[in-house]
Amino acid sequence: MASLKLSPSSPISISKVGVIPSSKKGLSFLVKAEHHSSSSSSHLQDKCQRRLIVTFGVVAPWISLLSRAPLSFAAESKKGFLAVSDNKDAYAFLYPFGWQEVVIEGQDKVYKDVIEPLESVSVNLVPTSKQTIKEFGPPKQIAETLIKKVLAPPNQKTTLIDASEHDVDGKTYYQFEFTVQARNYTRHALGTITVFNGNFYTLTTGANERRWEKMKDRLHTVVDSFKITV
Protein backbone atom coordinates (compact mmCIF):
# COMPACT_ATOMS: atom_id res chain seq x y z
CA MET A 1 0.00 0.00 0.00
CA ALA A 2 1.37 3.40 -0.95
CA SER A 3 2.18 5.80 1.84
CA LEU A 4 0.51 9.15 2.29
CA LYS A 5 3.03 11.95 1.93
CA LEU A 6 1.93 15.53 2.44
CA SER A 7 3.81 18.62 3.40
CA PRO A 8 2.81 22.03 4.78
CA SER A 9 4.20 23.59 1.63
CA SER A 10 1.36 22.16 -0.44
CA PRO A 11 -1.84 22.77 1.56
CA ILE A 12 -5.26 21.66 0.41
CA SER A 13 -8.37 23.38 1.66
CA ILE A 14 -11.75 21.74 1.14
CA SER A 15 -15.06 23.15 2.32
CA LYS A 16 -17.22 20.84 4.39
CA VAL A 17 -20.79 20.43 3.30
CA GLY A 18 -23.50 18.72 5.29
CA VAL A 19 -27.36 19.02 5.88
CA ILE A 20 -29.14 21.77 7.80
CA PRO A 21 -32.92 21.41 7.62
CA SER A 22 -34.79 24.48 6.45
CA SER A 23 -38.52 24.96 6.14
CA LYS A 24 -38.24 27.70 3.53
CA LYS A 25 -39.58 26.37 0.23
CA GLY A 26 -38.82 22.85 1.34
CA LEU A 27 -35.10 23.33 0.96
CA SER A 28 -32.59 21.67 3.23
CA PHE A 29 -28.87 21.85 3.09
CA LEU A 30 -26.06 20.02 4.81
CA VAL A 31 -23.46 22.49 6.05
CA LYS A 32 -20.46 21.73 8.22
CA ALA A 33 -17.73 24.09 9.23
CA GLU A 34 -15.20 22.34 11.41
CA HIS A 35 -12.93 19.37 11.11
CA HIS A 36 -11.94 17.08 13.96
CA SER A 37 -8.98 14.75 14.21
CA SER A 38 -9.48 11.13 15.29
CA SER A 39 -7.14 8.56 16.75
CA SER A 40 -5.99 5.47 14.88
CA SER A 41 -5.03 2.04 16.03
CA SER A 42 -2.07 2.16 13.70
CA HIS A 43 0.67 4.77 14.27
CA LEU A 44 1.38 4.98 10.56
CA GLN A 45 -2.28 5.38 9.64
CA ASP A 46 -2.71 8.05 12.33
CA LYS A 47 0.32 9.93 11.06
CA CYS A 48 -0.95 9.77 7.49
CA GLN A 49 -4.43 10.96 8.45
CA ARG A 50 -3.05 13.84 10.51
CA ARG A 51 -0.98 15.00 7.59
CA LEU A 52 -3.98 14.82 5.28
CA ILE A 53 -6.18 16.77 7.67
CA VAL A 54 -3.54 19.45 8.19
CA THR A 55 -3.50 20.00 4.46
CA PHE A 56 -7.29 20.03 4.27
CA GLY A 57 -7.94 23.53 5.62
CA VAL A 58 -11.65 23.98 6.21
CA VAL A 59 -13.64 26.93 4.96
CA ALA A 60 -16.99 27.54 6.66
CA PRO A 61 -19.64 27.68 3.94
CA TRP A 62 -22.90 29.60 4.20
CA ILE A 63 -25.97 29.13 2.07
CA SER A 64 -27.04 31.62 -0.55
CA LEU A 65 -29.70 31.31 -3.20
CA LEU A 66 -28.48 34.27 -5.18
CA SER A 67 -28.03 33.77 -8.89
CA ARG A 68 -24.51 33.24 -10.16
CA ALA A 69 -22.68 33.60 -13.46
CA PRO A 70 -24.13 31.31 -16.15
CA LEU A 71 -22.38 28.05 -16.87
CA SER A 72 -21.40 26.67 -20.21
CA PHE A 73 -24.07 24.09 -21.04
CA ALA A 74 -23.61 21.43 -23.65
CA ALA A 75 -26.53 19.81 -25.41
CA GLU A 76 -28.21 17.06 -23.41
CA SER A 77 -25.89 14.13 -23.99
CA LYS A 78 -27.94 11.43 -22.26
CA LYS A 79 -31.65 11.10 -21.83
CA GLY A 80 -32.74 12.54 -18.51
CA PHE A 81 -29.50 14.45 -17.92
CA LEU A 82 -27.98 17.83 -18.66
CA ALA A 83 -24.29 18.47 -19.20
CA VAL A 84 -22.21 21.15 -17.51
CA SER A 85 -18.78 22.17 -18.79
CA ASP A 86 -16.59 24.55 -16.83
CA ASN A 87 -14.00 25.76 -19.32
CA LYS A 88 -12.09 27.86 -16.79
CA ASP A 89 -11.47 25.00 -14.35
CA ALA A 90 -11.38 22.31 -17.06
CA TYR A 91 -14.02 19.83 -15.91
CA ALA A 92 -17.42 18.55 -16.99
CA PHE A 93 -20.18 16.31 -15.62
CA LEU A 94 -23.83 15.36 -16.05
CA TYR A 95 -26.66 15.98 -13.60
CA PRO A 96 -30.31 14.81 -13.63
CA PHE A 97 -32.79 16.94 -15.51
CA GLY A 98 -34.90 18.99 -13.08
CA TRP A 99 -32.19 19.64 -10.50
CA GLN A 100 -31.56 23.32 -9.91
CA GLU A 101 -28.36 25.23 -9.31
CA VAL A 102 -27.89 26.73 -5.86
CA VAL A 103 -24.99 28.68 -4.42
CA ILE A 104 -23.01 27.42 -1.45
CA GLU A 105 -19.98 29.48 -0.57
CA GLY A 106 -16.85 27.38 -0.78
CA GLN A 107 -18.30 25.05 -3.44
CA ASP A 108 -17.58 25.57 -7.12
CA LYS A 109 -20.83 24.08 -8.44
CA VAL A 110 -23.93 22.71 -6.70
CA TYR A 111 -27.11 21.27 -8.24
CA LYS A 112 -29.93 19.77 -6.19
CA ASP A 113 -33.48 18.53 -6.21
CA VAL A 114 -35.65 21.11 -4.45
CA ILE A 115 -38.17 18.46 -3.35
CA GLU A 116 -35.74 15.78 -2.18
CA PRO A 117 -33.09 17.86 -0.33
CA LEU A 118 -30.58 15.03 0.03
CA GLU A 119 -30.38 14.53 -3.73
CA SER A 120 -27.60 16.78 -4.99
CA VAL A 121 -24.23 17.02 -6.67
CA SER A 122 -21.42 19.36 -5.71
CA VAL A 123 -17.96 20.08 -7.09
CA ASN A 124 -15.10 21.54 -5.09
CA LEU A 125 -11.55 22.27 -6.16
CA VAL A 126 -8.61 23.58 -4.17
CA PRO A 127 -4.92 24.15 -4.90
CA THR A 128 -2.33 21.44 -4.42
CA SER A 129 1.29 20.97 -5.37
CA LYS A 130 0.75 17.25 -6.05
CA GLN A 131 0.79 16.01 -9.62
CA THR A 132 -1.60 13.05 -9.25
CA ILE A 133 -4.13 11.76 -6.73
CA LYS A 134 -1.85 8.77 -6.11
CA GLU A 135 0.60 11.02 -4.27
CA PHE A 136 -1.94 11.35 -1.43
CA GLY A 137 -2.24 7.61 -0.89
CA PRO A 138 -4.37 4.63 -1.98
CA PRO A 139 -8.14 4.98 -2.66
CA LYS A 140 -9.48 3.44 0.55
CA GLN A 141 -7.21 5.44 2.84
CA ILE A 142 -7.92 8.76 1.17
CA ALA A 143 -11.67 8.09 0.88
CA GLU A 144 -12.03 7.17 4.56
CA THR A 145 -10.16 10.26 5.70
CA LEU A 146 -12.02 12.58 3.35
CA ILE A 147 -15.42 11.21 4.38
CA LYS A 148 -14.79 11.34 8.13
CA LYS A 149 -12.94 14.64 8.26
CA VAL A 150 -14.47 16.69 5.46
CA LEU A 151 -17.64 15.27 3.92
CA ALA A 152 -19.59 14.29 7.05
CA PRO A 153 -20.37 15.92 10.41
CA PRO A 154 -18.33 14.47 13.31
CA ASN A 155 -21.46 13.39 15.18
CA GLN A 156 -22.73 11.20 12.34
CA LYS A 157 -21.69 7.62 11.66
CA THR A 158 -19.96 7.05 8.35
CA THR A 159 -19.40 3.80 6.48
CA LEU A 160 -17.12 3.40 3.48
CA ILE A 161 -18.68 0.78 1.20
CA ASP A 162 -16.21 0.73 -1.65
CA ALA A 163 -13.23 2.62 -3.08
CA SER A 164 -11.51 2.08 -6.41
CA GLU A 165 -9.08 3.57 -8.89
CA HIS A 166 -9.79 4.33 -12.54
CA ASP A 167 -7.66 5.74 -15.34
CA VAL A 168 -9.37 7.74 -18.09
CA ASP A 169 -7.45 9.45 -20.88
CA GLY A 170 -4.23 9.18 -18.90
CA LYS A 171 -5.70 10.74 -15.74
CA THR A 172 -6.26 8.85 -12.47
CA TYR A 173 -9.54 9.13 -10.57
CA TYR A 174 -10.52 7.61 -7.22
CA GLN A 175 -14.20 6.71 -6.84
CA PHE A 176 -15.88 5.76 -3.58
CA GLU A 177 -19.29 4.89 -2.14
CA PHE A 178 -20.33 5.62 1.44
CA THR A 179 -23.20 6.28 3.82
CA VAL A 180 -23.65 8.96 6.45
CA GLN A 181 -26.12 8.15 9.21
CA ALA A 182 -27.85 11.02 11.01
CA ARG A 183 -30.51 10.78 13.70
CA ASN A 184 -33.46 11.00 11.30
CA TYR A 185 -32.05 9.82 8.00
CA THR A 186 -29.18 8.09 6.21
CA ARG A 187 -27.61 9.55 3.10
CA HIS A 188 -26.15 7.15 0.56
CA ALA A 189 -23.48 8.90 -1.49
CA LEU A 190 -20.88 8.55 -4.22
CA GLY A 191 -17.73 10.56 -4.77
CA THR A 192 -14.86 10.95 -7.18
CA ILE A 193 -11.57 12.78 -6.68
CA THR A 194 -8.63 13.61 -8.91
CA VAL A 195 -5.70 15.99 -9.23
CA PHE A 196 -4.92 18.01 -12.32
CA ASN A 197 -2.95 21.15 -13.11
CA GLY A 198 -2.45 22.20 -9.49
CA ASN A 199 -6.02 21.51 -8.32
CA PHE A 200 -7.57 18.80 -6.13
CA TYR A 201 -11.08 18.08 -7.50
CA THR A 202 -13.90 16.53 -5.47
CA LEU A 203 -17.34 15.65 -6.83
CA THR A 204 -19.95 14.17 -4.49
CA THR A 205 -23.54 13.14 -5.14
CA GLY A 206 -26.11 11.21 -3.16
CA ALA A 207 -29.67 10.61 -1.99
CA ASN A 208 -31.69 9.56 1.01
CA GLU A 209 -31.17 5.83 1.71
CA ARG A 210 -34.90 5.23 1.28
CA ARG A 211 -34.58 6.41 -2.35
CA TRP A 212 -31.23 4.77 -3.11
CA GLU A 213 -32.60 1.91 -5.20
CA LYS A 214 -34.55 4.38 -7.32
CA MET A 215 -31.71 6.88 -7.69
CA LYS A 216 -28.53 4.77 -7.69
CA ASP A 217 -28.27 4.33 -11.46
CA ARG A 218 -28.68 8.07 -12.03
CA LEU A 219 -26.16 8.91 -9.32
CA HIS A 220 -23.64 6.46 -10.77
CA THR A 221 -24.13 8.20 -14.12
CA VAL A 222 -23.34 11.53 -12.46
CA VAL A 223 -20.16 10.35 -10.75
CA ASP A 224 -18.98 8.37 -13.79
CA SER A 225 -19.48 11.41 -16.02
CA PHE A 226 -17.05 13.63 -14.16
CA LYS A 227 -14.01 14.22 -16.33
CA ILE A 228 -11.12 16.64 -16.68
CA THR A 229 -11.63 18.17 -20.10
CA VAL A 230 -8.05 19.15 -21.00
Side-chain angles (χ1 to χ4, degrees):
M1 180 175 289
S3 61
L4 179 63
K5 296 182 180 179
L6 299 174
S7 66
S9 62
S10 58
I12 288 181
S13 173
I14 291 185
S15 299
K16 305 180 78 174
V17 180
V19 170
I20 294 180
S22 168
S23 59
K24 185 176 181 181
K25 297 183 180 179
L27 297 180
S28 296
F29 298 90
L30 278 155
V31 177
K32 260 200 57 51
E34 295 184 1
H35 67 275
H36 298 261
S37 60
S38 64
S39 61
S40 170
S41 59
S42 165
H43 176 70
L44 177 58
Q45 182 181 7
D46 183 61
K47 183 178 180 181
C48 291
Q49 289 184 350
R50 288 201 307 270
R51 287 183 178 180
L52 181 61
I53 300 313
V54 166
T55 55
F56 282 127
V58 178
V59 179
W62 56 279
I63 303 302
S64 170
L65 296 180
L66 299 176
S67 60
R68 64 191 300 184
L71 300 173
S72 173
F73 286 90
E76 186 174 347
S77 58
K78 186 171 183 178
K79 185 176 180 180
F81 293 85
L82 292 175
V84 174
S85 179
D86 188 315
N87 295 326
K88 177 183 176 182
D89 294 317
Y91 68 85
F93 64 95
L94 301 176
Y95 69 94
F97 182 81
W99 286 12
Q100 296 182 10
E101 184 184 12
V102 296
V103 178
I104 299 179
E105 188 172 344
Q107 300 297 303
D108 200 58
K109 302 281 191 299
V110 180
Y111 291 86
K112 71 186 303 293
D113 188 307
V114 296
I115 297 175
E116 293 289 342
L118 297 184
E119 293 175 14
S120 64
V121 58
S122 63
V123 177
N124 179 283
L125 59 153
V126 291
T128 178
S129 63
K130 305 301 183 185
Q131 299 301 306
T132 72
I133 193 67
K134 292 182 179 181
E135 293 183 49
F136 287 98
K140 183 178 179 181
Q141 177 183 306
I142 301 307
E144 286 181 335
T145 303
L146 193 64
I147 293 164
K148 292 179 180 179
K149 308 300 183 181
V150 179
L151 300 179
N155 62 338
Q156 295 181 2
K157 180 181 178 181
T158 63
T159 301
L160 176 64
I161 298 172
D162 187 36
S164 58
E165 177 182 324
H166 305 279
D167 289 326
V168 180
D169 297 329
K171 300 176 180 66
T172 301
Y173 300 79
Y174 288 174
Q175 287 190 8
F176 49 96
E177 179 180 349
F178 65 101
T179 59
V180 179
Q181 185 177 348
R183 183 174 60 180
N184 299 321
Y185 64 86
T186 296
R187 188 173 194 246
H188 200 138
L190 303 170
T192 185
I193 54 179
T194 192
V195 169
F196 174 72
N197 197 30
N199 285 314
F200 185 105
Y201 294 77
T202 305
L203 178 144
T204 53
T205 187
N208 195 308
E209 183 67 73
R210 64 178 171 79
R211 284 175 53 83
W212 174 251
E213 289 302 317
K214 180 177 182 179
M215 291 296 299
K216 65 179 181 180
D217 289 343
R218 275 177 276 182
L219 298 180
H220 275 289
T221 295
V222 172
V223 80
D224 289 342
S225 73
F226 182 78
K227 297 293 182 294
I228 300 300
T229 56
V230 176

